[in-house]
Amino acid sequence: MRSQFKIFIIIGAISLFFACASTPVPIYHTIQIESFEGGTVYPDNSIDILDGDSLELVFTPDNGFVIDDVIIDGKSIGSVNTYSFENIHNAHYAEIIFRDEVVCLVLSVGGVKGLAHIGAIQALKKMDINPDFVYGNSMGALIGSLYVSGPDENIQDRYTTLMLKYEKKTKEVATSAGISGGLLGGLAMLFVSGGTLGWETLAGSLAAGTLSAGAVDKIDNKRLRDVLNNYLNNLMFQDLILPFGTSYQVQQDQGLEFIFVNKGDVSLAVGNSINNPYIFQNTSLKEIDPGADRMAAIPVQDAYNMFNPDRIIVINVTAISPVYTEIVDCEVVEIKIPYGEVGFSAFEGKGEEYTKVIQLGYNTVFNFFK
């Protein structure tokens, strides 16, 4: 349960009565202010106000807090930063309630560049910025699932372990099927889609013959889901340490329908979110990666609709900018990871390219907040 901190302000009247036949005695009303953890009020000391005068109170939450509500004379006036008592003649009562700020981390799609999310998360942890919710699509969904299922663990090691398990499983399938070539190259192309970034790249690779059809056929979405599910110990959304959301598209008679998920099987939802038919050649086309949709590529709108946070921190590894409506009335902080080439070998979770893209994400986020 999030903590709430309250400030009580009592306005009392001090009336001075003297036996004086001709000179009216001024009446003052004392404004008594008591401040607690979570924010401050200005003025922050008791003050005497002449009868009939006015006073403006200013409320400032501390870093990491927000104003939850302001209650004047027993009535809520909402989350406001100031309140004015006009023409004071009577006693009044004001209650200012502060609470912890609710932060949602949004992880964009992005193919191999999506591995920069790992470094970004490491930098946030280093700076003690801990989101309350996480929302990610495609590669952002995969990295997000590894984070929310073990936020205190080393996410870089978690990804490496997952990919080693997938590689081992893939080699077992290849050995069983008598296939020896193209598997590691196929593994490196596993999530190259990234929505707007990588579909054309893969199509070109197929056309040029640099990635054989046989190798692509062995990149199996179900196998990846099974490996992820085993690694996460059959986790359901409701069992995650941090609340998490993702989305994918479903083929319908009239086109594509978006499915937004924060309940049920985590690995199934993540598998659907990364299910790019250009990569998983033998996959069902019923559920597919949502990254081709401009709004879903950086899912600010969907994260807001699902979690209603006070602030959204966006890690954007794409070449486009977030698109969302005016309904999103919270603070949106976008951190754009510089666009650049990253070798596909980084997908394997080891080597120079893997280290490089993670460092890029870390440095960008750390420098943004320092």
Side-chain angles (χ1 to χ4, degrees), residues 244-261:
F244 178 55
T246 187
S247 59
Y248 55 89
Q249 292 177 305
V250 174
Q251 295 275 5
Q252 301 287 4
D253 292 339
Q254 302 300 320
L256 295 172
E257 177 186 354
F258 270 92
I259 304 296
F260 306 99
V261 190

Side-chain angles (χ1 to χ4, degrees), residues 143-157:
I143 302 303
S145 70
L146 294 176
Y147 173 54
V148 298
S149 57
D152 295 328
E153 299 180 33
N154 187 315
I155 188 172
Q156 184 172 343
D157 290 346

Side-chain angles (χ1 to χ4, degrees), residues 32-336:
Q32 181 180 343
I33 301 172
E34 185 176 3
S35 181
F36 294 91
E37 181 183 358
T40 59
V41 176
Y42 180 82
D44 60 354
N45 293 310
S46 296
I47 185 172
D48 293 337
I49 301 296
L50 186 65
D51 183 73
D53 281 358
S54 302
L55 178 71
E56 181 182 53
L57 301 176
V58 179
F59 320 123
T60 306
D62 294 337
N63 186 38
F65 293 86
V66 295
I67 300 169
D68 189 38
D69 197 10
V70 175
I71 301 172
I72 303 296
D73 294 333
K75 296 181 179 179
S76 171
I77 61 171
S79 176
V80 297
N81 295 314
T82 64
Y83 183 81
S84 293
F85 289 100
E86 304 289 347
N87 197 20
I88 298 173
H89 293 296
N90 301 300
H92 296 282
Y93 168 82
E95 180 181 352
I96 295 84
I97 304 173
F98 296 99
R99 62 169 172 78
D100 295 320
E101 181 182 50
V102 177
V103 178
C104 180
L105 176 64
V106 169
L107 304 175
S108 75
V109 305
V112 68
K113 278 287 296 295
L115 292 171
H117 291 318
I118 294 174
I121 290 170
Q122 290 174 327
L124 291 174
K125 292 174 67 175
K126 179 70 174 179
M127 306 193 78
D128 200 27
I129 299 174
N130 302 301
D132 301 281
F133 305 103
V134 179
Y135 197 106
N137 281 342
S138 193
M139 194 61 176
L142 179 63
I143 302 303
S145 70
L146 294 176
Y147 173 54
V148 298
S149 57
D152 295 328
E153 299 180 33
N154 187 315
I155 188 172
Q156 184 172 343
D157 290 346
R158 284 172 67 78
Y159 179 83
T160 296
T161 301
L162 177 68
M163 288 297 101
L164 287 174
K165 289 180 178 293
Y166 181 79
E167 183 177 349
K168 179 181 179 181
K169 187 67 175 179
T170 302
K171 287 179 178 179
E172 290 174 357
V173 173
T175 300
S176 176
I179 298 171
S180 60
L183 287 174
L184 290 180
L187 175 63
M189 295 291 284
L190 182 60
F191 309 113
V192 73
S193 63
T196 57
L197 288 182
W199 293 19
E200 297 83 357
T201 301
L202 179 61
S205 296
L206 289 170
T210 57
L211 184 62
S212 70
V216 174
D217 287 341
K218 299 306 173 185
I219 302 173
D220 187 81
N221 183 274
K222 183 179 184 303
R223 187 186 313 132
L224 176 64
R225 293 203 314 266
D226 290 343
V227 171
L228 179 63
N229 187 52
N230 181 66
Y231 184 63
L232 297 181
N233 295 316
N234 307 306
L235 270 178
M236 306 295 279
F237 276 87
Q238 53 267 35
D239 299 322
L240 291 169
I241 297 174
L242 291 176
F244 178 55
T246 187
S247 59
Y248 55 89
Q249 292 177 305
V250 174
Q251 295 275 5
Q252 301 287 4
D253 292 339
Q254 302 300 320
L256 295 172
E257 177 186 354
F258 270 92
I259 304 296
F260 306 99
V261 190
N262 63 353
K263 296 179 181 178
D265 188 327
V266 174
S267 61
L268 178 61
V270 171
N272 289 340
S273 189
I274 64 174
N275 190 32
N276 189 326
Y278 285 91
I279 296 298
F280 301 104
Q281 292 289 295
N282 62 343
T283 192
S284 166
L285 297 180
K286 184 178 180 181
E287 298 92 5
I288 59 175
D289 182 329
D293 181 88
R294 180 72 181 270
M295 189 173 286
I298 308 124
V300 171
Q301 183 80 53
D302 301 333
Y304 180 83
N305 291 344
M306 183 172 288
F307 296 123
N308 191 29
D310 302 306
R311 181 162 60 125
I312 294 176
I313 298 176
V314 183
I315 310 299
N316 182 8
V317 304
T318 77
I320 60 177
S321 297
V323 176
Y324 50 91
T325 70
E326 66 279 359
I327 294 175
V328 179
D329 61 356
C330 69
E331 179 186 9
V332 177
V333 179
E334 180 193 8
I335 307 173
K336 197 170 184 64

